[in-house]
Amino acid sequence: MDGFSFSTDVKVRFAETDAQGIAHNSNYFVWFEVARVEYLERYAGGYQRLRDLGIEAVVLETHVRYLEPARFDDRLIVHARCLDVRGARFRYEYAIERGGSVIADGWTAHATVDAETMRPTRVPSWLTEAISAAESWSSPT
Amino acid sequence: MDGFSFSTDVKVRFAETDAQGIAHNSNYFVWFEVARVEYLERYAGGYQRLRDLGIEAVVLETHVRYLEPARFDDRLIVHARCLDVRGARFRYEYAIERGGSVIADGWTAHATVDAETMRPTRVPSWLTEAISAAESWSSPT
Amino acid sequence: MDGFSFSTDVKVRFAETDAQGIAHNSNYFVWFEVARVEYLERYAGGYQRLRDLGIEAVVLETHVRYLEPARFDDRLIVHARCLDVRGARFRYEYAIERGGSVIADGWTAHATVDAETMRPTRVPSWLTEAISAAESWSSPT
Amino acid sequence: MDGFSFSTDVKVRFAETDAQGIAHNSNYFVWFEVARVEYLERYAGGYQRLRDLGIEAVVLETHVRYLEPARFDDRLIVHARCLDVRGARFRYEYAIERGGSVIADGWTAHATVDAETMRPTRVPSWLTEAISAAESWSSPT
């Protein structure tokens, strides 16, 4: 998908549906997280690498637009890109695609924090560089 | 809380925490929903009254700002107000309070749809009136 | 309910339902946990008191029989009793009641462990005593 | 794994962990369900085929033994077999493996019901036959 460096896919679990017969709105944040975890694994040695340094990435803000319902057993492609890495902050943007249509999109804002104090700490330079490398192909020249 | 017609409380369940030792970001949308369900119960005969008419309220958009982490066993007050009821659309705004501080806020946008076709259908007038009555105290004169 | 020292209630959340229109089977374990947490709060100073001592209670085994489905907005009474406290082990038994009928029952087996090593450590004597006092009323004479 | 006709794998999601730093006990039932859904897809045309006939498979009983904690990002192999298909009833047994060790096992009991009335209805013969074919390789001769 245009402008996205990364995608992974999830299948809608039965447990993720609700009595409206569709995936409950709260699951999209879980799928976004699955995408972030795999993004970090692919490009930057995994989320655990951050945790091993005593750093956690916390969520500051989340946003989703639900364009069409997702249903049980749907195979969804979760596109994600990381951007705006500055100091302790960074953002992800997402588009969820099913059969060629975008059925939801959204973004999340994050900060890296010291796991002990929960105070902001700069995104480690190796991570900034890994993100920068991962996203460079999609940058305008 | 200023400007909010309604509040309910939830206690953070252990199952809602994650390996960061805090409530996972996806749960806020469940708590928002708990507040909406109780709001409709208090002011408008319950969500089931809508469902009995073959109407579902779907979620179009969600947004949360996480200001401070919520932790296991925290008692949270979820403030909610319903606004902007127009045609098939309406919105809720929320503030989550713990011990006098707002630790998160957010909003959700919704539409009422026909449960069979999932097509938009006007918010029933009894519901519009119930919301209007519930929220009137907080309106400027 | 006969033989149960404790009960608390939960309301079935919309997010807990699935596309069968009933509460998903995995939620019963969350409700059991809610009951355990409130049980410890009522009788023994709260689960956090254990955690503050560097002790966690882990789940070794779980069992549920689903007799009738639970549905959205049902108010459920979760009855719980703690028994068989021996060494690092203890058990809870549960019955979930709705409108006078038992709709599910089950049990869970637990061990207290050192939070660092995850190795079994005896249930602290104050907790054994608190459980014993809580359950004594229901013992045969 | 000996005696199991089927396996699939899941990766422990961060959202599935709890403040003990391990996967919450309720998720095992979600993973079991993921395995059942994929089992039916591989051998019997998918769970949706049942639903399209107005049949739901409900859960009557669940059991898990937690032998070792599952942790964030663990890749788990969920082994499953279906057995004891009789009338409207059937059972699944499971073993969850990580790196060659079984870290949990369990079973679930089910009934096929009419989706309208929720009354038991025989497992369709095509499904009985598909299960029988799937499991036959593991039968003793």
Side-chain angles (χ1 to χ4, degrees), chain D residues 6 18 51 56 63 68 124 131 135:
Chain D
F6 171 88
D18 65 25
R51 305 190 86 209
E56 293 282 355
H63 188 87
E68 288 181 59
I131 293 167
E135 299 296 346

Side-chain angles (χ1 to χ4, degrees), chain D residues 11-89:
Chain D
K11 238 183 160 182
V12 179
R13 297 171 170 187
F14 198 81
E16 292 171 337
T17 61
D18 65 25
Q20 290 186 343
I22 62 178
H24 189 265
N25 63 86
S26 62
N27 294 301
Y28 291 67
F29 301 96
V30 176
W31 302 333
F32 287 175
E33 186 180 77
V34 166
R36 291 196 302 275
V37 166
E38 298 206 12
Y39 181 101
L40 290 180
E41 183 165 324
R42 186 171 315 166
Y43 299 130
Y47 181 51
Q48 196 59 44
R49 187 173 167 195
L50 269 181
R51 305 190 86 209
D52 290 343
L53 293 170
I55 296 173
E56 293 282 355
V58 295
V59 181
L60 302 177
E61 206 164 345
T62 52
H63 188 87
V64 173
R65 284 193 311 159
Y66 308 86
L67 305 173
E68 288 181 59
R71 296 181 186 282
F72 168 57
D73 222 27
D74 279 354
R75 183 167 292 278
L76 308 178
I77 306 175
V78 185
H79 300 271
R81 65 181 159 221
C82 186
L83 63 167
D84 298 342
V85 187
R86 285 186 203 125
R89 302 263 178 136

Side-chain angles (χ1 to χ4, degrees), chain C residues 19-20 24-26 29-30 33 47 51 56-66 107, chain D residues 19-20 24-26 29-30 33 47 51 56-66 107:
Chain C
Q20 291 187 341
H24 191 265
N25 65 84
S26 62
F29 301 97
V30 176
E33 185 180 78
Y47 180 51
R51 306 190 86 209
E56 293 281 355
V58 296
V59 181
L60 301 177
E61 204 164 349
T62 53
H63 188 87
V64 173
R65 284 194 311 159
Y66 308 87
W107 54 267
Chain D
Q20 290 186 343
H24 189 265
N25 63 86
S26 62
F29 301 96
V30 176
E33 186 180 77
Y47 181 51
R51 305 190 86 209
E56 293 282 355
V58 295
V59 181
L60 302 177
E61 206 164 345
T62 52
H63 188 87
V64 173
R65 284 193 311 159
Y66 308 86
W107 54 267

Side-chain angles (χ1 to χ4, degrees), chain A residues 61-80:
Chain A
E61 205 165 347
T62 53
H63 187 88
V64 173
R65 283 193 312 160
Y66 307 88
L67 305 172
E68 288 180 59
R71 296 181 186 282
F72 168 56
D73 221 26
D74 279 356
R75 183 166 293 278
L76 307 178
I77 306 174
V78 185
H79 300 272

Side-chain angles (χ1 to χ4, degrees), chain A:
Chain A
M1 181 162 287
D2 225 38
F4 281 94
S5 60
F6 171 88
S7 70
T8 188
D9 56 82
V10 295
K11 238 183 160 183
V12 179
R13 297 171 170 187
F14 198 80
E16 291 172 336
T17 61
D18 65 24
Q20 291 187 341
I22 61 178
H24 191 265
N25 64 85
S26 61
N27 294 300
Y28 291 67
F29 301 96
V30 177
W31 303 333
F32 287 176
E33 185 180 78
V34 166
R36 291 196 303 275
V37 167
E38 299 205 11
Y39 181 101
L40 291 180
E41 184 165 324
R42 187 171 313 166
Y43 298 130
Y47 180 51
Q48 196 59 44
R49 187 172 169 196
L50 269 180
R51 305 190 87 208
D52 291 344
L53 293 170
I55 297 174
E56 292 281 356
V58 296
V59 181
L60 301 177
E61 205 165 347
T62 53
H63 187 88
V64 173
R65 283 193 312 160
Y66 307 88
L67 305 172
E68 288 180 59
R71 296 181 186 282
F72 168 56
D73 221 26
D74 279 356
R75 183 166 293 278
L76 307 178
I77 306 174
V78 185
H79 300 272
R81 65 181 159 222
C82 186
L83 63 169
D84 298 341
V85 186
R86 283 187 204 124
R89 302 263 177 136
F90 58 100
R91 274 165 59 88
Y92 274 92
E93 292 179 351
Y94 313 87
I96 298 183
E97 183 192 342
R98 180 187 54 203
S101 301
V102 174
I103 64 162
D105 57 28
W107 54 267
T108 55
H110 302 265
T112 37
V113 299
D114 181 289
E116 290 290 311
T117 63
M118 293 301 262
R119 295 240 176 101
T121 182
R122 291 183 71 82
V123 177
S125 58
W126 56 265
L127 180 52
T128 307
E129 282 154 27
I131 293 167
S132 173
E135 300 294 346
S136 61
W137 70 271
S138 61
S139 298
T141 50

